[in-house]
């Protein structure tokens, strides 16, 4: 009775098997073929029907030539990822058979897979406007991504040339930077997963990702990020003061509120900075995961990744002026092992001293050396001394060569690499002089005296005139304190050469001479992206602001015959933030300017008055 009363099972057949339908199509009978396309395009097609069709297609891939491209495209548009496990497995089998039998369909298959590297799009209508973006509520999104990577691996297994066809597609499908954070996050994460099973693409994929990160980075200057954060904090404080005292909340409500506040504190106020922060966090996690196996550093993996990252650094980062955050991927990988940090410094040193390199690249290499030596806590003082020896010896040789030529005068265009190296040395000394003098003051002073700063400062090229004023003034204060060289006479002479000019036709505005003729920057200035900075901060040397006592102390030179263990307190106290900075009136050379090193956690533009 039950059998008789039950409805007959729906069949998916009409007009015979798939091979028969395709043979009829070849002879000009398109009726069944059109019905087939219609059924496959039906969004309500059942799993059982789809499974049967896929099984037949899998066995009939020899028929799916270039002429049936339209039918193949319909098959590639099927929503197979959100189907039953049986359908997914059958579809993966079909893809493998298709690309192995008909490589003409390789590109469309790859495009279909890569298009699934971002969350599915949803459309929300607001005031007759379609707002379309990623769907963050898809619970199966992680599983779907896993299946996509299985599909890609299946295709790559059957077609060894997959990587060369895949890379242009990965570039093409990279989302625009104004897409949602979630879309960018998923796509970059999936790109990095591809490098695990297609290692030949790793360098190109890293290059693609870092190029996109760099565009984000240069689109969001540090000042814009800080301004956005300040505005957001002011708005939050106003809201808080308005709401304060209005409600007597329960303790559990307070806890909920704290969670919301902590989540909002993590977010960057600047939308592009928020995207960059998320993507930098992913990149740092990737570097850590590749270099560590079972929690231990894998030297072979680390060296291979280091080579790829240095290659990307040379191609993209070094020629880019004033990026703020992306270059920290080199800072991070170098922290894993001292040998990597030394290799990076050696790499930069070769760039700096090679006269065949463009002057701007040599100058930037000098900036990286100085900033890296000053900021990286993981670089021991013995390495700092070795680098200072190299840099200072090169400076002395440079001065020797100029003495015999006709270009021994102050000119940035002629001597850019020299000035950049001087600034790197001065900057390193500002940050590291305490460690250089630690232990035995006499030995430390003897080492600093051996560097012969006096000859560098007094030479005809006049580096104190070109280097950033904040660096020059702090260097002058330290070298005076330890009686290494007296810079103030030269600084004052340089200042007198820069007399402010008044524009007669514009209401008497001051025209200020450029205070950064090198157009230099310190690439490892403080990292301010909230999430990813947690990775960098533990290994980062912050600038410790000068207190009034420190400034007074800098005016007092070390007396000869003082105790060998006597220590200076130039960098005293822990103030990574710019709280309570002592304001010193800048001299005319610096008025109305803010140098690139005056940001949070960097030396401020201070001027230590020279003795009369």
């Amino acid at each position: 009775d039950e059998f008789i009363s039950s409805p007959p099972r729906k069949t998916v057949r009409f007009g015979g098997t798939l091979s028969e339908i395709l043979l009829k199509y070849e002879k000009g009978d398109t009726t069944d073929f059109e019905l087939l396309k219609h059924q496959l395009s039906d969004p309500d097609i059942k799993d059982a029907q789809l499974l049967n069709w896929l099984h037949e297609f899998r066995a009939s891939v020899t028929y799916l030539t270039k002429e049936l491209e339209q039918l193949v495209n319909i098959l590639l548009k099927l929503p197979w990822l959100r189907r039953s496990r049986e359908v997914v497995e059958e579809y993966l089998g079909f893809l493998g058979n298709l690309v192995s039998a008909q490589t003409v369909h390789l590109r469309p298959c790859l495009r279909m897979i890569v298009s699934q590297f971002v969350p599915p799009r949803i459309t929300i209508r607001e005031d007759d406007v379609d707002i379309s973006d990623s769907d963050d509520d898809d619970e199966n999104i992680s599983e779907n991504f896993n299946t996509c990577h299985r599909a890609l691996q299946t295709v790559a297994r059957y077609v060894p040339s997959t990587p060369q066809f895949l890379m242009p597609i990965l570039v093409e499908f990279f989302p625009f930077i104004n897409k949602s954070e979630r879309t960018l996050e998923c796509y970059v994460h999936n790109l990095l997963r591809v490098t695990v099973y297609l290692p030949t693409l790793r360098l190109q994929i890293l290059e693609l990702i870092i190029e996109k990160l760099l565009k984000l980075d240069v689109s969001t200057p540090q000042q814009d990020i800080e301004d956005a954060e300040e505005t957001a904090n002011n708005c939050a404080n106003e809201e808080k003061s308005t709401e304060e005292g209005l409600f007597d909340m329960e303790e559990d409500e307070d806890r909920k509120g704290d969670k919301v506040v902590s989540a909002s504190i993590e977010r960057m106020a600047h939308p592009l900075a928020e995207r960059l922060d998320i993507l930098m966090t992913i990149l740092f996690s990737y570097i850590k995961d590749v270099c560590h196996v079972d929690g231990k550093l894998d030297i072979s993996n680390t060296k291979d990744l280091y080579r790829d990252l240095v290659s990307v650094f040379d191609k993209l980062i070094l020629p880019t002026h004033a990026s703020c955050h992306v270059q920290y991927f080199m800072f991070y990988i170098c922290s894993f092992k001292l040998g990597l940090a030394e290799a990076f410094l050696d790499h930069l040193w070769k760039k700096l001293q090679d006269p065949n390199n463009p002057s701007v690249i040599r100058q930037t290499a000098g900036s990286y050396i100085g900033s890296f030596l000053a900021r990286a806590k993981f670089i021991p003082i013995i390495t700092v001394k070795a680098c200072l020896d190299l840099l200072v010896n090169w400076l002395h040789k440079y001065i020797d060569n100029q003495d015999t030529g006709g270009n021994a005068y102050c000119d940035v265009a002629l001597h850019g690499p020299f000035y950049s190296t001087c600034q790197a040395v001065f900057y390193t000394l500002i940050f590291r002089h305490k460690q250089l003098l630690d232990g035995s003051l006499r030995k430390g002073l003897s080492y600093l005296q051996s560097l012969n700063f006096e000859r560098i400062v007094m030479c005809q090229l006049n580096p104190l005139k070109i280097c950033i004023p904040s660096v020059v003034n702090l260097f002058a204060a330290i070298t005076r304190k330890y009686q290494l060289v007296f810079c103030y006479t030269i600084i004052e002479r340089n200042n007198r050469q820069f007399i402010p000019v008044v524009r007669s036709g514009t209401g008497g505005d001051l025209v200020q001479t450029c205070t950064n003729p090198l157009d230099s920057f310190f690439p490892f200035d403080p990292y301010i992206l909230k999430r990813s900075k947690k990775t960098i901060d533990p290994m980062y040397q912050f600038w410790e602001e000068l207190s009034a006592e420190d400034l007074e102390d800098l005016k007092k030179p070390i007396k000869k015959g003082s105790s060998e263990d006597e220590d200076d307190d130039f960098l005293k106290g822990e103030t990574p933030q710019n709280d309570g900075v002592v304001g010193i009136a800048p001299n005319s050379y610096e008025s109305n300017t803010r140098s690139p090193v005056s940001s949070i956690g960097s030396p401020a533009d201070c001027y230590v008055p020279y003795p009369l």
Side-chain angles (χ1 to χ4, degrees), residues 44-62:
D44 297 323
I45 187 171
K46 299 291 187 288
D47 279 7
Q49 292 174 310
L50 193 53
L51 201 58
N52 284 334
W53 279 125
L54 286 172
H55 187 71
E56 285 204 51
F57 273 110
R58 188 175 177 182
S60 308
V61 288
T62 50

Side-chain angles (χ1 to χ4, degrees), residues 291-356:
C291 295
H292 293 81
V293 177
D294 298 326
K296 293 183 180 177
L297 187 70
D298 185 293
I299 302 300
S300 177
N301 288 355
T302 305
K303 283 182 178 177
D304 289 344
L305 182 60
Y306 169 82
R307 290 189 194 100
D308 284 347
L309 290 176
V310 164
S311 176
V312 177
F313 175 84
D314 284 349
K315 184 174 180 179
L316 298 176
I317 304 293
L318 207 54
T320 303
H321 180 69
S323 58
C324 298
H325 300 99
V326 180
Q327 59 266 25
Y328 270 89
F329 67 79
M330 286 307 306
F331 192 95
Y332 183 52
I333 194 169
C334 287
S335 71
F336 294 160
K337 193 168 178 63
L338 177 59
L340 296 176
E342 291 176 342
F344 184 50
L345 285 164
D346 183 59
H347 180 75
L348 292 168
W349 163 241
K350 286 172 181 170
K351 294 271 184 197
L352 171 63
Q353 65 170 347
D354 185 358
N356 294 317

Side-chain angles (χ1 to χ4, degrees), residues 468-487:
I468 292 174
S470 56
V471 173
V472 168
N473 288 325
L474 286 168
F475 173 76
I478 293 165
T479 50
R480 175 187 168 273
K481 176 179 171 64
Y482 295 106
Q483 298 187 358
L484 299 170
V485 57
F486 193 79
C487 302

Side-chain angles (χ1 to χ4, degrees), residues 195-214:
T195 67
V196 176
Y197 54 85
L198 294 178
T200 55
L201 286 182
R202 184 169 74 180
L203 177 58
Q204 290 170 270
I205 287 175
L206 285 171
E207 202 172 289
L208 170 62
I209 290 170
I210 289 167
E211 181 186 9
K212 300 296 182 181
L213 291 179
L214 206 51

Side-chain angles (χ1 to χ4, degrees), residues 382-395:
I382 189 168
T383 304
V384 175
K385 288 173 78 170
C387 290
L388 282 176
D389 288 339
L390 275 175
L391 295 170
V392 170
N393 285 339
W394 183 83
L395 290 173

Side-chain angles (χ1 to χ4, degrees), residues 260-280:
V260 173
V261 169
S262 64
S264 65
I265 288 171
E266 285 280 295
R267 282 188 70 85
M268 300 296 298
H270 195 295
L272 292 184
E274 171 68 7
R275 289 165 174 75
L276 182 60
D277 193 9
I278 291 169
L279 299 184
M280 287 300 295

Side-chain angles (χ1 to χ4, degrees), residues 85-296:
R85 187 164 194 81
E86 292 78 10
V87 171
V88 168
E89 294 303 324
E90 192 65 35
Y91 195 89
L92 289 174
F94 160 70
L95 276 181
N97 286 11
L98 178 66
V99 295
S100 58
Q102 305 285 352
T103 50
V104 69
H105 299 304
L106 176 62
R107 276 196 184 91
C109 287
L110 293 176
R111 290 172 67 86
M112 180 275 294
I113 296 169
V114 173
S115 69
Q116 305 288 346
F117 277 4
V118 294
R121 298 176 72 84
I122 55 170
T123 303
I124 305 167
R125 256 184 116 62
E126 282 188 12
D127 300 327
D128 296 325
V129 177
D130 285 347
I131 301 170
S132 182
D133 213 333
S134 62
D135 180 6
D136 291 339
D137 298 327
D138 191 344
E139 295 175 359
N140 300 318
I141 193 166
S142 181
E143 189 180 335
N144 290 346
F145 288 154
N146 291 340
T147 309
C148 284
H149 288 289
R150 279 186 61 203
L152 198 50
Q153 285 172 273
T154 301
V155 172
R157 190 163 60 247
Y158 285 111
V159 186
S161 60
T162 293
Q164 71 188 68
F165 291 98
L166 176 62
M167 197 60 220
I169 294 168
L170 295 178
V171 174
E172 178 190 344
F173 276 82
F174 203 105
F176 294 113
I177 59 173
N178 61 347
K179 292 293 180 185
S180 72
E181 295 98 343
R182 183 66 174 153
T183 298
L184 286 162
E185 178 184 10
C186 290
Y187 194 79
V188 169
H189 187 270
N190 284 316
L191 282 189
L192 291 172
R193 281 187 67 176
V194 171
T195 67
V196 176
Y197 54 85
L198 294 178
T200 55
L201 286 182
R202 184 169 74 180
L203 177 58
Q204 290 170 270
I205 287 175
L206 285 171
E207 202 172 289
L208 170 62
I209 290 170
I210 289 167
E211 181 186 9
K212 300 296 182 181
L213 291 179
L214 206 51
K215 285 180 180 175
L216 269 174
D217 200 7
V218 297
S219 301
T220 51
Q222 192 159 335
Q223 190 59 51
D224 288 2
I225 297 174
E226 289 171 1
D227 290 346
E229 288 298 318
E230 186 179 348
T231 304
N233 289 336
N234 290 341
C235 291
N237 290 336
E238 284 174 18
E239 286 177 16
K240 190 176 178 182
S241 61
T242 305
E243 292 171 5
E244 207 167 87
L246 292 179
F247 302 103
D248 184 16
M249 296 207 176
E250 297 293 331
E251 192 175 339
D252 59 340
E253 290 295 322
D254 285 341
R255 286 203 195 101
K256 285 180 189 173
D258 290 343
K259 286 179 184 175
V260 173
V261 169
S262 64
S264 65
I265 288 171
E266 285 280 295
R267 282 188 70 85
M268 300 296 298
H270 195 295
L272 292 184
E274 171 68 7
R275 289 165 174 75
L276 182 60
D277 193 9
I278 291 169
L279 299 184
M280 287 300 295
T281 304
I282 293 171
L283 182 59
F284 288 152
S285 298
Y286 172 77
I287 292 171
K288 184 180 180 182
D289 289 346
V290 170
C291 295
H292 293 81
V293 177
D294 298 326
K296 293 183 180 177

